[in-house]
Amino acid sequence: MSGERKAAVVDQPRRLQGNMGVGELAMSVLAFSAPLTTVAGFIPVLLMFGGKTGPAIYLVATVVLLVFCVGFTAMGRTVANPGGFYSFVTQGLGRSAGLGGAFLATFGYFMIGFFAPPFFAITVQNYVENNLGGPHIGWGWYALAIVAVTTALAYRRIDLSAKVLTVVMVLEVVVVVVFDVTSFAHGSPAGAGGISLSLPWVTDPNIGVALLFVVGNFFGFEATVIFREEVKDPDRTIPRATYLSVAGIGVFYALAAWAYIAFTGADKAQSTATGDPGGMFTDALTELLGKTVVDIVTVLLMTSILASMLSIHNVTARYLYSLGTDGVVPRALGKVHPRHGSPFVAASLIGALWAIGVLLFAALGSDPNVLYARASGIGSFAILLLLFAASVAVFFHFRRNPSAEPGWKTTAAPLLSAAGIGVVAYLAVTNYADLLGGSGFLTSFFLFFTFALFLVGMVHARVLRARRPEVYQRIGRQDL
């Protein structure tokens, strides 16, 4: 074989490999939001902003995203490649917008994933010092440890990650269900407003931040199309897993938020959450089930954070892999491991960047409590903008490519979801300062940076069209 033919074989792109079914794929999506982590760490934050409207906010978000899924799954049957929203936005709005969306997605998922190292460090640090009587170890060391573990798992075949996530998810779901049942059985204190609920409204204070945190719990459902190469019978598995994930997440967390209200009383939920959001869950469990159960749940909370970070790591790595495969970023990021069938270079890079971030913020003396909330919020806002772009893209895709699908799937649903997600995005922008602690400079910087990322992607695409047209043509995984 000649040298040129050998080079051609070496350079030939490999496809990712896996054999996930509906259950494993749905569990990977659920792991993204980390059930126990969400219930313990983020629902109290939701109650801080939304009070007794919290459960209804989850249901509103569920309806909006189920409407989005109608067009999303219909388009998924015609755009049969694993690029996720990157491919969808490219198909509907063009290659420039598609690359801008890919930049938003990569940044957004990277930032959402960076919530895990400091949050894991806080959890382990408190457990070691307060429960085990162990020594004080800086939070940065614990954070580096979880980065190392998730990077090692993301480096390997996706089936391994799916099995780990499935086991952890089952345990987490059991804990949350027990919390729900005991909270409702306990009953709210007398004179605390009972378990009554209220519907949210656009004029409610901080409704934008509350919606942003809630919608952020659903973002992992994009993984159903990102893992297209790694599931069996994708045309059947992906739609089922998508609807199951979105509906399941919405109902699951709405009940958990309502369980908090059942425990504290509707009139006291917001003030209780504001007083101690980080300890609200463990305080409730201690009163309901005792300290021994809390110790067990704390260990499960650590694995919950690990599962969430691993799921996000896998999604982010596949975005970099798609960009590398297209040649938009260095092609090394598009390499597939010859044995594991994984995007090992992309996964390793993400782990390295997270480790650098941990070292940097630990050296600066950053408060991990503030760091994890800001990282999650900043990343969620970026993905929210991408979700809006994807809604619009679905509508325009079917305008350009008429389908046998009924009009309510190709026209009405995409327009309704775009309107609903657009309202959430607008409210998030107007309340962004509350998310970042009211800092004017910080708010302006991250708002500008997030929107600028999309524009940078569009400009880069135009440059590629002029200088590297063969790469431009592949934007959005068009080479499949």
Side-chain angles (χ1 to χ4, degrees):
M1 181 181 291
S2 68
E4 290 181 356
R5 291 183 63 191
K6 288 181 179 178
V9 172
V10 171
D11 291 340
Q12 182 179 356
R14 295 175 56 90
R15 296 174 69 86
L16 300 176
Q17 300 173 16
N19 194 37
M20 291 191 292
V22 173
E24 289 175 319
L25 187 55
M27 284 297 181
S28 293
V29 174
L30 183 60
F32 185 101
S33 66
L36 197 53
T37 303
T38 296
V39 172
F42 289 105
I43 289 183
V45 176
L46 164 66
L47 297 176
M48 285 173 56
F49 294 112
K52 58 185 177 182
T53 67
I57 291 175
Y58 266 112
L59 296 180
V60 169
T62 302
V63 171
V64 171
L65 291 175
L66 283 174
V67 173
F68 171 80
C69 287
V70 173
F72 175 74
T73 54
M75 188 171 176
R77 286 188 285 271
T78 63
V79 183
N81 69 49
F85 291 155
Y86 172 38
S87 299
F88 282 36
V89 175
T90 300
Q91 287 282 345
L93 301 179
R95 289 175 172 81
S96 295
L99 190 53
F103 281 17
L104 264 183
T106 306
F107 168 74
Y109 285 128
F110 179 86
M111 291 301 296
I112 292 174
F114 192 63
F115 98 90
F119 190 66
F120 177 82
I122 295 167
T123 304
V124 178
Q125 193 177 57
N126 288 337
Y127 184 75
V128 169
E129 294 179 17
N130 299 329
N131 293 65
L132 302 180
H136 173 77
I137 300 174
W139 70 267
W141 294 108
Y142 293 118
L144 287 175
I146 192 174
V147 170
V149 172
T150 57
T151 302
L153 288 170
Y155 185 94
R156 300 175 67 84
R157 185 179 170 97
I158 188 64
D159 294 353
L160 174 62
S161 294
K163 288 179 172 61
V164 172
L165 295 176
T166 299
V167 172
V168 174
M169 288 306 99
V170 170
L171 295 173
E172 290 186 51
V173 169
V174 169
V175 170
V176 174
V177 169
V178 169
F179 168 70
D180 292 350
V181 171
T182 53
S183 293
F184 283 113
H186 170 271
S188 62
I195 60 173
S196 62
L197 304 177
S198 297
L199 292 175
W201 189 241
V202 293
T203 56
D204 291 349
N206 301 319
I207 185 65
V209 176
L211 279 167
L212 179 61
F213 272 101
V214 166
V215 173
N217 291 145
F218 294 83
F219 285 155
F221 77 86
E222 185 191 0
T224 58
V225 290
I226 289 177
F227 293 138
R228 184 179 184 87
E229 291 180 327
E230 300 159 271
V231 301
K232 50 190 176 185
D233 193 4
D235 288 336
R236 185 184 66 170
T237 298
I238 290 173
R240 291 181 178 181
T242 301
Y243 283 113
L244 177 63
S245 300
V246 172
I249 286 171
V251 173
F252 184 77
Y253 289 138
L255 286 173
W258 198 8
Y260 272 110
I261 291 172
F263 176 76
T264 64
D267 296 339
K268 293 186 177 180
Q270 190 164 19
S271 59
T272 303
T274 303
D276 184 17
M280 190 176 183
F281 181 69
T282 52
D283 288 347
L285 276 185
T286 301
E287 182 172 335
L288 293 170
L289 299 170
K291 189 176 182 302
T292 301
V293 174
V294 173
D295 290 342
I296 297 172
V297 171
T298 300
V299 175
L300 287 177
L301 179 57
M302 298 175 196
T303 61
S304 171
I305 301 167
L306 171 64
S308 175
M309 187 175 175
L310 175 58
S311 179
I312 299 168
H313 199 149
N314 284 328
V315 171
T316 313
R318 278 149 187 80
Y319 257 102
L320 281 180
Y321 162 78
S322 289
L323 290 170
T325 299
D326 286 348
V328 174
V329 297
R331 283 191 174 278
L333 293 170
K335 287 184 176 181
V336 178
H337 195 282
R339 182 159 60 92
H340 300 305
S342 63
F344 69 108
V345 177
S348 299
L349 176 62
I350 292 163
L353 292 175
W354 276 339
I356 291 171
V358 167
L359 291 172
L360 176 63
F361 285 108
L364 292 174
S366 300
D367 182 354
N369 288 283
V370 175
L371 185 60
Y372 91 80
R374 284 181 174 173
S376 178
I378 291 167
S380 295
F381 180 66
I383 303 301
L384 180 62
L385 296 181
L386 175 66
L387 191 62
F388 174 74
S391 300
V392 177
V394 171
F395 173 79
F396 280 105
H397 168 75
F398 285 115
R399 299 287 66 73
R400 298 191 183 99
N401 303 276
S403 169
E405 299 276 5
W408 67 273
K409 287 187 176 182
T410 61
T411 302
L415 286 177
L416 285 172
S417 65
I421 295 168
V423 170
V424 176
Y426 170 76
L427 292 172
V429 169
T430 57
N431 291 271
Y432 203 63
D434 295 317
L435 173 68
L436 298 184
S439 169
F441 171 77
L442 205 59
T443 300
S444 300
F445 173 79
F446 277 106
L447 275 176
F448 172 81
F449 182 80
T450 304
F451 283 105
L453 268 178
F454 188 82
L455 297 177
V456 168
M458 295 186 69
V459 170
H460 185 45
R462 298 301 179 93
V463 172
L464 289 173
R465 185 174 66 175
R467 299 182 179 179
R468 301 177 64 193
E470 75 286 356
V471 173
Y472 177 78
Q473 291 300 317
R474 289 195 296 267
I475 289 176
R477 301 302 303 274
Q478 301 296 302
D479 58 332
L480 296 180

